[in-house]
Amino acid sequence: MLEELHLRGLGVIDDAVLSLGPGLTVVTGETGAGKTMVVTGLLLLFGGRADSARVRAGAAQASVDGRLELNAEAAVAERVRGAGGDLDDGTGLVLRRTVSAAGRSRAFVGGAATPVGVLSELADRLVAVHGQSDQLRLTRPGEQRRALDRFAGIELGEYATAFAEWRRAANALDERVARAAELRREAGLLAYGLAEIRSADPQPGEDTELATQSGRLAHADALRLAAHAAHDALLGDADDPTGEGVNALGLVDGARRGLLQQAGADPELDGLAGRFADLEVLAADLGADCGAYAAGLDADPARLEQIESRRAVLAALIRKYAPGPGDGVDAVLSWAQQAQARLDDIDVSDEAIAALTARRDDARADVQRLAAVVSDQRVKAAGELAEAVSSELAGLAMPSSHMSVRIDPTPPGPTGAEEVEFLLQPHPDAPALPIARGASGGELSRVMLALEVCLAGTDPVPTMVFDEVDAGVGGRAAVEVGRRLARLSRTHQVVVVTHLAQVAAYADRHIVVDKHTGGGVTASDVHPVTDTDRVAELARMLAGSASTTALEHAAELLQTAAEERAQPARPDNASVASKSRSARRSSARSRS
């Protein structure tokens, strides 16, 4: 629930705080005083488009702060924490949105800077704003279908998934058949490449290993001489008959023996002698390794020719199938793996076509089955919705009007297998016409309000905002609009911007926006009114002045509304329809 709204530098509003609460809150004021800025502020706070033109003249920026009370365990609270925000005292959420005069916008959730999109996500779960533009949206078939689905409690998730799978399967089959010749050519090239690679049977890293072997064989004589020289320098020449040649091992051994002559005289010198012993072992091992290396070198020209031939085969594969410079055999093997996967995917054999056809047919059968379930739910709910809305319209001074819901079957689409259209029959002798053609602006307002009353139990958001949806309504119909908004406020927090005293009289909280000019600067003041101030505001709304007659009429209107609101809630069309929907869902679950 929205507890407080703080507006600064927004349009004609310099600095204003709106204290809200449960039930019905109305916002009134003279035309042009800035009532709409309240709704504009709410839209901004919940992710609406930032418009620098809304920033008050002379202000550096406009800002909107809102405080809401949440359930700490709700999904909204989890989303806030996921965005890096915190809740005050575990349940209080502070949102903030700023718009600079240059058009730059920033958003904050629970004290953390976030993308504006996070505010929009929260709005989907926290608030629904209905304005006169919603009346135009209501004339669109897609909006009417969504309204019926809300009323029926229809979830399209499973159907939408099945429909998407059907389209994927159908598209895959169509593409395979239409491109069969092209795909066969591609498959032939891939198969040829794979056969060539399999015939050569390259191994991972083989090209690198062969390059090493080739270099060793090509320089075998020089490598052998170098290894022999190193061996002789370390261990001496085994072929020297005198054995008097100087070598590293002999020198190290002589040095060690010289130190051992003074063994025990100084521990430090004894340590050095030990290190010479280690060096002697290392020189002996290194010399032996050099000898083994020289003995193991193969200078076989036939082996070198064999390696070079194999390298040529691998180089040809690398040129054909390795995509980039510097790639080797590993890149060829990677290409082969991808080519095999692609070859499996573009199989154009009769068996593959048959498998794709079966997949498409199975997916289509799933769509048809789920579409039939959705259609059955819509058909059953259509009559209930039409009856409920028609009853509400009778109370909204349209006693002879009747709304019906026409459902026309269509081929299965993303949202089902039918089109939904609302028809309005203004009186028994008139034809039923689509509401886009057969309803005036005032009638559209009442149809939308009647729908909202009937859908109230299905709307998950706790706060509903109505921006002058009572335009074009007056007299007894205006009183009924007030009654229904008050009824909505039993289950939702409702905020209404209105110009009708008959609506404002039903409010739990009345806020007035006053415009005043001082020093050539126009500003609006936002303040709550109670008692005599509220009667005076209602009188102004009724007669344009606070005359004695207008004050009496306003007081009477306020008293009548208070008495009605004090009466126990009675079952209405919306609650009856809601019980029917619940029973229908339970029945559907038991069948499944």
Side-chain angles (χ1 to χ4, degrees), residues 29 74 92 132 165-166 403 547:
Q132 296 184 48
E165 172 58 26
W166 175 39
M403 193 191 89
S547 66

Side-chain angles (χ1 to χ4, degrees), residues 224-543:
R224 186 182 298 108
L225 288 174
H228 273 308
H231 171 273
D232 294 348
L234 287 171
L235 303 182
D237 185 358
D239 296 329
D240 182 1
T242 66
E244 296 178 356
V246 177
N247 60 77
L249 184 61
L251 294 173
V252 171
D253 183 59
R256 180 178 64 82
R257 290 177 183 276
L259 294 178
L260 288 177
Q261 291 178 4
Q262 302 301 322
D266 185 351
E268 184 176 353
L269 190 63
D270 291 344
L272 293 174
R275 291 172 63 186
F276 270 100
D278 294 339
L279 184 57
E280 190 173 356
V281 172
L282 180 60
D285 289 344
L286 186 56
D289 290 343
C290 288
Y293 174 82
L297 277 175
D298 184 6
D300 184 6
R303 174 58 182 160
L304 178 59
E305 182 180 355
Q306 182 183 19
I307 289 176
E308 291 301 328
S309 176
R310 177 63 175 172
R311 290 184 68 196
V313 171
L314 297 181
L317 292 180
I318 291 170
R319 284 194 301 272
K320 285 185 179 181
Y321 304 112
D327 286 338
V329 165
D330 289 349
V332 173
L333 294 174
S334 177
W335 181 91
Q337 185 178 18
Q338 295 171 14
Q340 185 61 60
R342 174 61 177 162
L343 191 61
D344 294 340
D345 189 52
I346 63 173
D347 186 0
V348 288
S349 65
D350 292 341
E351 293 79 6
I353 297 296
L356 283 176
T357 302
R359 175 188 163 198
R360 180 205 60 187
D361 293 344
D362 289 345
R364 178 172 57 194
D366 285 342
V367 168
Q368 291 172 338
R369 175 180 58 81
L370 293 171
V373 173
V374 172
S375 297
D376 183 59
Q377 292 175 312
R378 284 174 176 164
V379 169
K380 290 180 178 178
E384 295 178 9
L385 178 61
E387 181 181 352
V389 171
S390 297
S391 297
E392 290 296 327
L393 290 176
L396 289 168
M398 295 174 65
S400 301
S401 299
H402 178 76
M403 193 191 89
S404 57
V405 180
R406 183 169 66 195
I407 298 180
D408 295 325
T410 64
T415 59
E418 53 272 319
E419 289 183 349
V420 176
E421 189 168 35
F422 292 170
L423 307 177
L424 183 66
Q425 186 180 22
H427 55 83
D429 296 329
L433 296 175
I435 59 174
R437 295 165 47 202
S440 65
E443 287 171 337
L444 266 179
S445 297
R446 282 176 274 181
V447 169
M448 189 183 73
L449 182 58
L451 270 173
E452 288 300 335
V453 171
C454 295
L455 296 174
T458 69
D459 203 326
V461 298
T463 300
M464 304 180 74
V465 181
F466 294 89
D467 182 18
E468 296 192 0
V469 294
D470 48 17
V473 178
R476 186 166 64 87
V479 174
E480 294 299 335
V481 169
R483 286 183 179 140
R484 275 147 184 79
L485 289 171
R487 184 189 303 168
L488 275 178
S489 70
R490 294 171 184 165
T491 54
H492 296 71
Q493 179 188 35
V494 179
V495 179
V496 181
V497 177
T498 182
H499 66 283
L500 294 178
Q502 295 94 327
V503 172
Y506 282 87
D508 299 288
R509 215 163 286 96
H510 191 152
I511 295 173
V512 175
V513 181
D514 284 329
K515 183 168 68 174
H516 57 85
T517 302
V521 178
T522 300
S524 289
D525 176 49
V526 180
H527 58 91
V529 292
T530 58
D531 303 330
T532 57
D533 290 337
R534 187 178 181 191
V535 173
E537 173 63 11
L538 292 178
R540 181 200 63 77
M541 297 172 71
L542 286 168

